[in-house]
């Protein structure tokens, strides 16, 4: 099965509570490990930006579950492609909190100083996630 990378942006929903991020990461890491999915999730108080990489069918199935999750909405796929190798093979789901996403990083990869993944192209989102990778602790 071909390796595939999917990147999407979404907005936090009404059912998202203060502790939801821990629950999302725990469930994501557990399921992703079973399906050989790796990736990274950026989060601030408004938006998510997530990269999923893995076998095509598993990435598709995971994305389908994510689309149906009412803890977020307005999910927009920014990029979807076959890849030769993974960028986030050390993370079943790495986490980038808003404190790590600095103004210079936002300005480098988007048109705004604040984190808003809807204002980024798929290529910019990918490059930003790669740039943030060094700050993500491995699990
Ligand atoms: P169930 O566990 O049966 O859940 C069904 C629905 O109940 C969910 O869609 C959600 O709306 C709700 N729900 C589930 N758990 C909770 C909870 N603790 N609190 C409140 N509501 C809840 N899953 C992955 O497998 N891999 C990922 O990388 C991944 N990333 C995610 C990123 C984001 C931003 C979000 C919001 C969710 C992510 N998830 C991820 C979780 C995913 O959406 C599913 O909830 C999870 O995969 C379990 O799927 P399920 O079909 O077993 O749903």
């Amino acid at each position: 099965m071909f390796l595939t990378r999917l990147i999407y942006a979404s907005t936090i929903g009404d059912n998202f509570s203060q502790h939801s991020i821990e629950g999302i990461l725990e469930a994501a890491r557990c399921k992703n490990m079973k399906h050989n999915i790796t990736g990274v999730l950026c989060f601030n108080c408004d938006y998510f930006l997530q990269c999923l990489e893995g076998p095509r069918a598993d990435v598709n199935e995971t994305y389908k579950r994510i689309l149906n999750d009412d803890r977020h909405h307005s999910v927009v796929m920014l990029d979807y492609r076959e890849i030769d190798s993974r960028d986030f093979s050390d993370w079943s789901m790495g986490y980038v909190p808003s404190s790590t996403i600095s103004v210079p990083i936002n300005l480098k990869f988007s048109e705004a100083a604040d984190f808003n993944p809807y204002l980024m192209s798929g290529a910019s989102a990918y490059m930003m996630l790669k740039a943030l990778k060094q700050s993500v602790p491995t699990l």
Side-chain angles (χ1 to χ4, degrees):
M1 187 61 78
F2 296 115
L3 266 182
T4 299
R5 180 176 70 230
L6 187 159
I7 299 176
Y8 75 83
S10 67
T11 302
I12 287 166
D14 290 341
N15 286 333
F16 185 88
S17 72
Q18 208 187 333
H19 303 294
S20 295
I21 193 66
E22 287 92 1
I24 288 171
L25 285 169
E26 198 181 318
R29 285 169 181 156
C30 179
K31 282 216 184 244
N32 292 353
M33 257 187 256
K34 282 189 199 144
H35 297 284
N36 296 321
I37 300 272
T38 52
V40 67
L41 176 69
C42 288
F43 163 75
N44 73 351
C45 291
D46 299 308
Y47 306 117
F48 293 106
L49 173 66
Q50 187 174 30
C51 170
L52 301 167
E53 51 185 24
R56 183 164 57 198
D58 295 288
V59 167
N60 293 350
E61 278 304 312
T62 302
Y63 186 57
K64 206 159 73 181
R65 288 201 310 277
I66 290 173
L67 280 175
N68 289 325
D69 197 313
D70 60 12
R71 289 170 288 185
H72 66 165
H73 61 84
S74 309
V75 182
V76 174
M77 192 189 287
L78 304 181
D79 193 35
Y80 181 88
R81 66 182 63 218
E82 285 172 8
I83 51 174
D84 297 326
S85 63
R86 297 173 192 247
D87 286 297
F88 302 102
S89 52
D90 286 341
W91 296 272
S92 55
M93 191 43 62
Y95 175 50
V96 180
S98 56
S99 55
T100 307
I101 313 169
S102 63
V103 169
I105 282 273
N106 286 320
L107 287 174
K108 184 167 183 183
F109 296 106
S110 79
E111 55 187 75
D114 295 328
F115 176 64
N116 183 342
Y118 294 104
L119 299 179
M120 300 168 81
S121 67
S124 295
Y126 170 63
M127 285 165 69
M128 181 177 174
L129 293 171
K130 282 224 316 183
L132 289 167
K133 180 173 155 180
Q134 59 200 357
S135 64
V136 183
T138 46
L139 302 169

